[in-house]
Structure formats: C-alpha cells, structure tokens
Amino acid sequence: MADANELLPEPRRAVAEACHRHAGEGLLIGTAGNVSMRDGDRIAVTATGAVLGQCTPDQVTVVGPDGGTLAGGAAPTAGRAVAVAEAHGERLCRAYALWALGFDAWIRGDNAAAVRSTRAGLEIQQGFNDPMGSAMLVGLLAWLAGSCGDHRMAARLEGATRSLWRVLGTSIGAFGPHISRFQARFEKETVAALGPTAFEKAIAEGGRYDSPACAVELALAASADAQWSASAASCSLTRREMEVAALVAEGMSNRQIASALDLSPRTVDRHIEHILAKLGFRSRARVAAWWVANHHPSGTLP
C-alpha cells in the first residue's frame, strides 16, 4: 500500500509551488494564513504552522468535501474548515472557523495574526444577523485590545459583547470553564488598568451597540485604527525580538546585534526572520522605520 505522502502528488506539488511563487512576489509572509486549491471535489491546503515560502508537498494535506483527510500527514486544523468552506462558497461556518484560528493565534501570542483572522470573521458577520457568532468575534477582539494595551476600547467591546449575550440568554462561559477563566482574567486586568468607574463607563458606552450589526461595526472600526494595528503587531513580538528591532533601528548589522546581545549571528538571523514575518515587512529598513514611528526615537525599549 502506498504511503499517504505519495498519494495525490500533483495538487500537493501545485500548492507548494504556488506558495514559493507568491512568497517570491511578497504576497506571503512567514506562517500567516493558508494557501489552498480545489481539485475536483478535493481541496489541497497547507498545514497550519508551515512556513509558506518554504512549503514542501508533504506540508500540504488533501481533504475531501466532508473535511476528511485523503493524503498527507500534516493537520491544517481550523485552516481545513476555512478551506472547505471557501471551496463550497459557504460563509457562516467559515466565520466560526476564523474565530478558532484567531483564538489559537492569540493564545500563542501572535496578536497580529489573531487580529487578521478575527477581522476576516467579522467582515463575514456583516452579512448575517448572528448574535452568537458576532458575540464570539467581538469578544475575542476585546481580549486582543486588552492584550495590546488599549483597555478602554477593550471595555467598550466587552460592553457590546455583553449586550449580544443578553439577547441570547447565555455567555461565553457556555463554551467551557477554560473559556470562563480567560474571560475572568480579561475582566480583572481591564478593571485594574482603568479603575472600576472608568471600566463601567466604557462598558456602558459599548453596551449601546446592542445589535449584531452595530457591535460588528464598532469592532471593525476599532481594529482598523492604524495605531491599534501597530500595537497588535508590536505585542506579537517577543521581548528579545523587540530588543533586536530596537538595535536594527539604531543601524546595527546582525553581527553587531549578536555582539551587543551576546547571541550567535545565526540566532540573530532567525530573530530578524521572525520579526519580518510577524510585521509583514520585507526589509530591515521597514523594521527600522516602524520602530521609530511606534516607539521611542532613540530606539530604546519603552
């Protein structure tokens, strides 16, 4: 019997080649998103976590119309659901799959990717009157806003989310105690950052967005703000990546950065690659400009 990785080689090879081609054109960055193609009633889709510009055929999984794996051992997880939904022109379930992708990215600390997935889900929700899906996505964006330091917006989004859950007669806690713990921690941190009075005021402001359409509109407007987006990208970087970005802004070469931080040049190379991928840039000059625009002019850490 043939090994699974030897089955359906053509669509898997075609997706890998498309990844290389589009990455060379600057259309793909790092591990952000998925690339997929339809082959009859089958879908070939890259695995979650694959570095798209270096994707190989064995990192492409072929799934059937029911989402079952036909070839490949790498799991595309929620990306599979998004690909299947796109292939069939389905939108509502795709929005829920995008929530799962956004939640996973947030848990991993990749806030920029989480914002992208959440926004994509919210844009789909504009075409529906779906209080539950809207509450989940707006609530996730509230958590993201809090993670990125915009606590007032986080509370306003939370207020809109609470209005939607009231309509449904339930809460995010219905999805399990682990979700409830995230919600409780978010509320505790937001109250601590704003103070109880300011928190309740922002909750009341957001509570006026008491329909799915209004809540989604508020969330999309918040996440489209340029400063907020820069903050999301910034807090996706690790502390060490922030230090490296600061030294890039000072004009240091990779070898100079390695010496300053007592790292190997190869380790600095990897940090630079991760910074470029997370920020969606293709050059060190863009990293330097981004740092100067969004942090202290001296390039020192805030």
Side-chain angles (χ1 to χ4, degrees):
M1 183 175 179
D3 184 274
N5 287 337
E6 296 174 358
L7 299 175
L8 300 170
E10 290 308 317
R12 301 174 76 201
R13 185 179 300 117
V15 168
E17 291 174 351
C19 286
H20 297 166
R21 184 169 60 254
H22 293 317
E25 296 169 353
L27 301 177
L28 299 176
I29 297 292
T31 61
N34 292 89
V35 175
S36 62
M37 66 166 283
R38 186 167 184 170
D39 179 48
D41 63 349
R42 303 172 302 203
I43 301 140
V45 57
T46 53
T48 296
V51 179
L52 298 176
Q54 302 169 14
C55 182
T56 59
D58 64 359
Q59 292 177 306
V60 178
T61 299
V62 180
V63 299
D66 61 350
T69 299
L70 302 178
T77 62
R80 182 197 324 237
V82 173
V84 172
E86 288 176 346
H88 290 273
E90 197 286 330
R91 299 177 67 238
L92 187 59
C93 289
R94 194 193 325 171
Y96 283 84
L98 286 163
W99 177 88
L101 286 174
F103 179 73
D104 174 70
W106 177 63
I107 290 295
R108 290 185 287 103
D110 190 350
N111 291 312
V115 170
R116 286 194 297 271
S117 291
T118 307
R119 272 191 62 84
L122 287 164
E123 287 167 356
I124 291 173
Q125 283 289 342
Q126 286 182 301
F128 295 92
N129 182 30
D130 176 22
M132 181 172 290
S134 298
M136 291 171 67
L137 286 157
V138 175
L140 177 56
L141 199 68
W143 293 353
L144 279 159
S147 294
C148 294
D150 192 344
H151 299 290
R152 182 172 179 274
M153 179 53 70
R156 293 185 71 201
L157 291 168
E158 170 63 15
T161 304
R162 290 184 183 184
S163 292
L164 297 179
W165 286 124
R166 277 196 294 272
V167 170
L168 293 164
T170 186
S171 71
I172 191 67
F175 291 86
H178 61 296
I179 296 291
S180 294
R181 286 194 292 271
F182 286 119
Q183 179 64 25
R185 186 180 69 186
F186 159 76
E187 291 183 14
K188 180 180 179 181
E189 291 175 351
T190 309
V191 170
L194 293 176
T197 301
F199 175 78
E200 291 302 331
K201 179 181 178 183
I203 289 287
E205 291 172 355
R208 293 197 288 267
Y209 296 82
D210 56 359
S211 71
C214 290
V216 168
E217 182 180 359
L218 171 67
L220 285 171
S223 59
D225 180 82
Q227 263 192 321
W228 200 86
S229 297
S231 177
S234 174
C235 59
S236 293
L237 301 185
T238 66
R239 177 76 179 184
R240 180 64 84 184
E241 288 164 354
M242 294 281 277
E243 290 173 339
V244 171
L247 297 179
V248 167
E250 292 185 4
M252 287 191 183
S253 67
N254 284 15
R255 286 193 175 277
Q256 289 172 323
I257 294 172
S259 177
L261 298 178
D262 196 24
L263 300 171
S264 72
R266 181 170 295 182
T267 298
V268 173
D269 290 344
R270 285 199 298 270
H271 283 314
I272 295 291
E273 289 174 4
H274 293 162
I275 291 167
L276 291 171
K278 289 180 178 181
L279 298 181
F281 296 157
R282 299 181 64 187
S283 70
R284 296 165 60 90
R286 289 287 305 279
V287 174
W290 168 82
W291 181 270
V292 171
N294 294 285
H295 300 82
H296 294 293
S298 64
T300 56
L301 286 170

